């Protein structure tokens, strides 16, 4: 088993490094060498040594064998980063997801190094688990635990007729879990980590519909001390980026909260963040939702038709109230992610039974937990 922190160094040297750096000592500008071979500096979490953050180093041959030479029928998906394949490791027989990054350009290499570092330091049930990586020559591959149900996007948008739709309870479970993953990045990591690329396609689901945040190539270390933001080149996905970040490049934790609000709206409404197939006034999900937030009599119009009215009216109102606060234009008006977690954990605990609870359309909405801004 190769250790990320010890890659390129002998075990003897690794043992001498007793004083490991914690995540709060990593410079905001990733001092990572972009050479042909991987050279990740020794970094460690405060509460663990080399064993705690061990990441296996794979050869390209091992991963080619695992994916049957990257055969087309093993392909799980494709994006701007490259392709993801399903594979089985010959040594352990473990089923994994293998991301093969596009070899063109420096950006992909930098994102690869950032992701290896981030996922080696950060561990939470709602973050995807990095098993290892490959940096043979100009090949850059990441090996993750396999998430059998794919992404949240696969269960919300463009569903084939024979695919089951997500029920209300599952949607709230996914929303709550995704919020907990983001809370860990914001409140437990030191310094905080800004995810910067929260969207439905980056929320993966295991066989029990437990969500895990994935794809940390765009993650940034958040502001520390008296700093209020991190200035950076605008990156992310149109429709999810907070307006102040898109306009100024000033990134804060509240930028992630906005993105989460968009995802929550997608979960509730079944609509895409950006959908050019709809009428012009409905292209942008947040722009369509904002006028409806002002009239709770129209809240039922925002529920995904695929739910077929099988949702608790009170729960719908409260979930929409959380989403409305998250997508406020002014970042200081958005809640802290910890309070979003509190609200959604409560909603996820209120199980809706379509057999005993008829569809209700009350004229007033109940209050939602008060949130700190």
């Amino acid at each position: 088993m190769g250790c990320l922190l010890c890659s390129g160094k002998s075990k003897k040297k690794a043992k001498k490094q007793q004083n490991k750096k914690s995540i709060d000592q990593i410079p905001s500008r990733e001092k990572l060498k972009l050479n042909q071979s991987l050279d990740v500096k020794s970094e460690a979490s405060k509460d663990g040594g080399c064993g705690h953050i061990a990441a296996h180093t794979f050869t390209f041959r091992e991963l080619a064998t695992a994916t049957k030479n990257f055969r087309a029928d093993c392909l799980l998906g494709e994006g701007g980063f490259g392709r993801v394949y399903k594979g089985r490791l010959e040594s352990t027989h473990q089923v994994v997801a293998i991301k093969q990054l596009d070899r063109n350009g420096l950006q992909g290499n930098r994102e690869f190094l950032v992701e290896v570092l981030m996922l080696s330091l950060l561990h939470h049930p709602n973050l995807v688990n990095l098993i290892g990586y490959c940096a043979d020559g100009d090949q850059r591959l990441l090996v993750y635990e396999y998430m059998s149900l794919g992404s949240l996007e696969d269960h919300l948008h463009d569903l084939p007729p024979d695919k089951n739709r997500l029920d209300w309870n599952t949607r709230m479970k996914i929303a709550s879990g995704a919020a907990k993953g983001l809370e860990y990045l914001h409140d437990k990591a030191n310094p905080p980590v800004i995810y910067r690329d929260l969207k439905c396609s980056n929320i993966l689901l295991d066989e029990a519909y437990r969500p895990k945040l994935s794809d940390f190539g765009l993650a940034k270390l958040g502001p520390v001390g008296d700093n209020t933001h991190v200035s950076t080149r605008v990156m992310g996905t149109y429709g999810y980026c907070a307006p102040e970040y898109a306009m100024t490049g000033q990134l804060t934790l509240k930028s992630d909260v906005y993105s989460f609000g968009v995802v929550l709206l997608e979960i509730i409404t079944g609509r895409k963040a950006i959908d050019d197939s709809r009428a012009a006034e409905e292209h942008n999900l947040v722009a369509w939702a904002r006028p409806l937030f002002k009239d709770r009599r129209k809240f039922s119009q925002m529920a995904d038709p695929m739910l077929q009215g099988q949702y608790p009216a009170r729960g719908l109102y409260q979930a929409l109230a959380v989403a409305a606060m998250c997508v406020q234009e002014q970042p200081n008006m958005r809640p802290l992610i910890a309070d979003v977690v509190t609200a959604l954990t409560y909603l996820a605990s209120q199980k809706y039974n379509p057999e005993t609870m008829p569809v209700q359309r009350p004229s007033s909405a109940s209050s939602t937990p008060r949130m700190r801004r």
Side-chain angles (χ1 to χ4, degrees), residues 91-340:
S91 57
T92 62
H93 305 293
Q94 182 180 3
V95 177
V96 295
I98 299 172
K99 183 196 290 187
Q100 184 177 34
L101 276 72
D102 191 330
R103 287 178 285 173
N104 297 325
L106 195 64
Q107 185 65 22
N109 201 10
R110 190 200 71 83
E111 290 177 12
F112 167 80
L113 293 168
V114 170
E115 183 143 12
V116 170
L117 181 59
M118 287 290 185
L119 286 180
S120 295
L121 292 168
L122 304 171
H123 301 275
H124 187 268
N126 294 113
L127 302 185
V128 72
N129 181 38
L130 179 71
I131 295 171
Y133 61 91
C134 168
D136 272 0
D138 60 354
Q139 292 286 350
R140 296 289 180 270
L141 299 99
L142 295 160
V143 183
Y144 305 95
E145 61 180 316
Y146 175 65
M147 302 292 281
S148 59
L149 294 184
S151 73
L152 174 58
E153 182 180 54
D154 298 333
H155 296 266
L156 284 179
H157 308 315
D158 303 322
L159 271 65
D162 59 338
K163 188 160 189 174
N164 291 331
R165 272 56 178 170
L166 295 175
D167 62 28
W168 177 260
N169 295 335
T170 304
R171 293 179 194 225
M172 290 301 100
K173 174 183 179 178
I174 292 170
S176 174
K180 288 174 182 175
L182 200 58
E183 179 189 31
Y184 171 79
L185 297 178
H186 287 190
D187 296 348
K188 303 298 189 295
N190 183 21
V193 173
I194 303 175
Y195 185 28
R196 200 162 58 139
D197 201 19
L198 183 59
K199 54 185 177 181
C200 287
S201 59
N202 281 346
I203 299 174
L204 304 183
L205 305 173
D206 69 9
E207 68 282 352
Y209 289 93
R210 282 185 291 262
K212 299 195 179 191
L213 306 185
S214 69
D215 200 342
F216 284 75
L218 297 184
K220 297 286 288 185
L221 298 180
V224 294
D226 295 331
N227 296 322
T228 58
H229 64 269
V230 175
S231 294
T232 181
R233 184 157 60 102
V234 177
M235 301 281 289
T237 304
Y238 180 58
Y240 294 93
C241 285
E244 75 282 355
Y245 171 51
M247 288 187 292
T248 68
Q250 293 185 351
L251 191 64
T252 69
L253 299 178
K254 294 296 182 76
S255 305
D256 275 348
V257 173
Y258 181 94
S259 301
F260 180 83
V262 178
V263 169
L264 182 56
L265 272 178
E266 289 187 84
I267 291 172
I268 296 167
T269 66
R271 291 172 174 247
K272 298 178 181 178
I274 299 292
D275 191 348
D276 293 335
S277 69
R278 295 186 180 271
E281 64 274 14
E282 298 182 19
H283 283 182
N284 185 293
L285 176 57
V286 174
W288 166 78
R290 278 200 172 118
L292 300 177
F293 285 146
K294 298 175 183 177
D295 187 351
R296 61 188 176 195
R297 292 172 299 180
K298 295 181 179 179
F299 281 9
S300 60
Q301 299 174 22
M302 301 175 74
D304 187 349
M306 294 300 176
L307 288 167
Q308 298 180 330
Q310 296 185 345
Y311 58 84
R314 179 181 295 180
L316 173 69
Y317 295 168
Q318 293 179 325
L320 285 171
V322 174
M325 286 186 280
C326 289
V327 296
Q328 290 277 353
E329 288 196 13
Q330 297 300 321
N332 63 337
M333 297 298 291
R334 298 171 203 150
L336 299 174
I337 193 63
D339 292 317
V340 174

